[in-house]
Each structure stands twice: as structure tokens, then as C-alpha cells.
Amino acid sequence: MFNSNNLCKLLFPAFFVLGLCAAKSQATPCTNPSVRREWRKLSLPERAEWIAAINTTLQCLANLPHTDALTPSVDPSISNIPPVNTSGSYWDDIVYIHMDLNTKIHNTGLFFPFHRFYVNAVESAMKEFCGYTGAFPYWDWSIDAHDVENSPLFREASPINGLGGWGDPSKDFQVQDGGFRHLEVAYPIPHIIRRNFTLQPFLPFADVPMFTNLTQYANESFTPEKVREMVNWTPGDFVGFQFSMEQPQGPHASVHFILGGDLAGQCPAGSPPGCFPQPTFSANEPLFFFHHAMVDKVWFDWQKKNPANFWAYTGGSVQNLTSLQALSDYPNGMPPELTLDSVIPADGMFPEVTIRDVMNTTGGYLCYIYE
């Protein structure tokens, strides 16, 4: 049976000898943490290096075979996603984890820990399988909140150092330029990644009780002032802090929706009737990791802001979005309660770790900081 460790041994024997393929039973000390920087703080050569590494890496992961190690753990009637495409790639399997675990990792106590784990796991896979040596930059969306559509990030058309712009409406909003213009993904059906700037993305969701302000401009929720409010959130109040980020029309969701396309889970043209908009396959889009690195940075900054925050953690394991009252009662999940010793699910794709393992970004299992 295929597994990532055997694949690494086959393709990169030197990595295997050096122990870079195998999951370590004990975390090694973090003595030289990598530094995640905002995209605009990278020089043009650094941007070009990142684009080349990510683009090459995605092609690398997209050329590796599907792994039978992928074991979906959520009942399809709950996840509402297509079955595993066994003709897909290893990259598609990575995307599928986020799709399958959608109801476990959003609006539960796993939100922050899982996404910290997930970004790190993908970065590690890129390094392990494809020789990537950098760290994920992050996108500080608060800088662009006043005018996301005209952000410099989406005006970088160069295939060498550009992220590409908004998609072409006549081509199902597929990205036409930049380093990812040819990136084809498998879910929910094969297509080139798409971006569709949408300033008022909540208007179509009149039948969703969680969205209480349908006319809201998405960028209102992730301004510099909003980020400061989150970082200065009540010391020790992890539940309130998480809700300030993950509330239905808060920063996390609004960034997904304002970019539209894959990041918003908008179904591609030709999708089957059962496909409905939901940000399950949003990890198709490389900017997913920019976005979630920023989400992680806000948590990182809150943790550092006050000693009461660093190990502050509580949350339920069951999502409950049945009503506004349920969301108010269980803003980050209902019982059974999670603890620091609860395991972060990985659907068989990566070695599982506990929530405790990801609380400290320089604790050994993780080894990075934010600039």
C-alpha cells in the first residue's frame, strides 16, 4: 500500500537516509525557527523564488499518485462532498482532507489548531517531497481591506514572481496570468483555479440564518482596526477570541468569500447538481495558505500578547450551526469537549499530533515565528 514515507524513500532516498521522510517519535528542539513574512516584504527575487518553489512544488505534488492512506472519516451525508477521486493526485488528496473534515474543523475547538497543523503539514510535504526550502509567506489582508480588488497582490501578472489576478468572467473566472494560471485541480470537478472578486458576497444567502447582514461589505470585517481588536481580545478568553475571527461574517469567512472562486467554494461550471457553494475545496487555491497563515498569525500575536493567552484553550468537538441560538450557546463547538491532549485528525495523510503539540510554534514539533 502506498504511503508518503515509502514514496519519499522511493523518490528521494537521500532524504530517507537523512531521516527527513519519517515522522519523528519525539520533537527535536526548535533552535532556528523559520520566519514567515508578509508577501510585500519579500524582494522580487524572493517572490520569484517562492512562486517557483510553490508552482514547481504543486506540480510535483500533483504528479505524485493518489495515496490509499487517505481515509475519509466523516459520513458523506454530513460532509456533502464527492467521493475520493482515486485517479487524482497527492495534492488533490491534501485538498480532500480539508473537504472531508470541514464540519469537524470549523466552528469547533479544532479551528485554530487544525489549520496551524494543516499549513505546516503541507509546507513539510513540499520540503520533504520536492526540496522546497522556504517558509509560507502570509497575506496581511488588513493592509488591503480598503481596496482588495486593486491590491498589488492581484496585479502581479508575471509568471515568474506574480500571484496572478482575478479570473476571466467569460472563462468561468479561471485565473489567466501569474504563476498559477495553469494549475488544474480535481475537486469538485477538474478545472483551473478561479478567482471572482465579490464585495457583497452574502447577498445570495438569504435562506442562511447565520448571515444576519446580507448587504455587508466583506472588507468591513478585516480592517486594521478589527485585527487590533482581535489581538487585544480579553486575556485568557480563547472562545471569545476564536469567535471574533470565525463568526459567520467575520474576518476568516469574509476573506474566503471576497476572493470568490475556489477560495469561496463556488462550484465550477459543469459541476453536478449536488454541488452547492461551501468553502470545502478552498484549499485548491494556493492563496488559501496565505490566508490561513495570516489567521494563524493573529492567533500567534494574541498568544504573545498576554501570558494568560499562550496556553488558553477550550472548545467542543461537535459543530452546531442549526440556529443563531445554537451558535450563541456553542460558539466554538458543543460537547464532547476537546482538551490539549485531543488528537488533530489527518485522515491518514499525515502523522497525527495533539492540540498541545501545536500550541507553541517554537515548541519542537513546530519551528517558526512571524515577522
Side-chain angles (χ1 to χ4, degrees):
M1 178 180 292
F2 169 87
N3 63 59
S4 60
N5 193 50
N6 289 340
L7 180 65
C8 185
K9 181 178 181 180
L10 176 66
L11 296 180
F12 305 102
F15 281 20
F16 186 83
V17 170
L18 292 172
L20 298 178
C21 296
K24 296 176 174 59
S25 58
Q26 282 189 320
T28 56
C30 175
T31 57
N32 186 29
S34 63
V35 180
R36 294 182 175 180
R37 293 183 290 160
E38 212 278 334
W39 176 253
R40 278 159 282 213
K41 291 189 177 180
L42 274 61
S43 66
L44 286 178
E46 287 174 324
R47 295 182 195 183
E49 181 182 8
W50 187 85
I51 289 288
I54 295 297
N55 204 33
T56 301
T57 299
L58 289 177
Q59 289 175 358
C60 167
L61 294 180
N63 286 326
L64 298 182
H66 157 74
T67 169
D68 290 337
L70 174 61
T71 309
S73 58
V74 178
D75 189 298
S77 67
I78 297 174
S79 60
N80 288 312
I81 58 174
V84 172
N85 182 350
T86 57
S87 65
S89 69
Y90 187 71
W91 174 253
D92 295 321
D93 289 342
I94 289 172
V95 173
Y96 201 87
I97 298 172
H98 190 261
M99 295 169 60
D100 178 58
L101 297 175
N102 179 52
T103 56
K104 289 187 175 183
I105 59 176
H106 298 110
N107 304 105
T108 73
L110 282 173
F111 173 70
F112 277 117
F114 173 83
H115 288 89
R116 177 173 281 182
F117 163 80
Y118 187 49
V119 173
N120 182 76
V122 173
E123 180 178 342
S124 296
M126 290 175 171
K127 291 178 178 179
E128 187 172 316
F129 296 157
C130 306
Y132 177 59
T133 60
F136 269 105
Y138 64 93
W139 171 31
D140 185 347
W141 13 258
S142 70
I143 296 174
D144 297 303
H146 67 289
D147 190 5
V148 174
E149 185 174 18
N150 292 304
S151 165
L153 272 70
F154 304 109
R155 293 187 174 276
E156 298 173 335
S158 167
I160 297 174
N161 54 40
L163 299 172
W166 304 105
D168 185 340
S170 69
K171 298 179 180 179
D172 194 29
F173 295 99
Q174 294 178 4
V175 172
Q176 300 296 302
D177 54 16
F180 302 110
R181 66 198 183 283
H182 298 309
L183 178 59
E184 182 173 320
V185 290
Y187 295 108
I189 60 172
H191 66 279
I192 301 296
I193 62 165
R194 297 158 303 128
R195 294 181 194 140
N196 176 16
F197 175 74
T198 310
L199 187 58
Q200 290 181 289
F202 305 108
L203 289 172
F205 297 103
D207 58 343
V208 178
M210 300 302 109
F211 297 143
T212 58
N213 182 5
L214 298 179
T215 60
Q216 177 181 309
Y217 292 97
N219 60 339
E220 294 174 1
S221 70
F222 54 87
T223 62
E225 293 75 21
K226 294 294 185 182
V227 171
R228 283 194 293 272
E229 286 178 15
M230 288 188 289
V231 173
N232 291 318
W233 193 263
T234 307
D237 179 16
F238 180 83
V239 175
F241 168 71
Q242 178 179 326
F243 192 69
S244 72
M245 172 65 77
E246 208 196 2
Q247 58 187 292
Q249 292 179 251
H252 168 250
S254 292
V255 173
H256 274 276
F257 281 115
I258 201 169
L259 263 63
D262 280 77
L263 198 65
Q266 295 174 351
C267 297
S271 294
C275 181
F276 60 92
Q278 55 173 336
T280 51
F281 50 87
S282 55
N284 282 336
E285 162 70 88
L287 287 176
F288 173 98
F289 298 99
F290 270 29
H291 172 34
H292 278 279
M294 177 60 181
V295 170
D296 185 57
K297 181 183 183 298
V298 175
W299 182 25
F300 174 90
D301 289 342
W302 183 73
Q303 285 184 295
K304 301 287 187 182
K305 184 71 175 180
N306 189 293
N309 298 344
F310 197 85
W311 290 100
Y313 179 78
T314 187
S317 60
V318 178
Q319 180 189 87
N320 190 337
L321 298 177
T322 57
S323 67
L324 286 173
Q325 185 60 54
L327 182 62
S328 175
D329 292 341
Y330 305 106
N332 76 333
M334 61 186 293
E337 293 295 311
L338 297 164
T339 72
L340 290 176
D341 295 318
S342 297
V343 173
I344 298 173
D347 278 1
M349 286 284 292
F350 302 110
E352 292 180 336
V353 299
T354 66
I355 292 171
R356 187 186 307 277
D357 291 322
V358 301
M359 292 294 289
N360 184 357
T361 68
T362 57
Y365 167 70
L366 300 175
C367 194
Y368 68 86
I369 59 174
Y370 285 98
E371 183 180 80

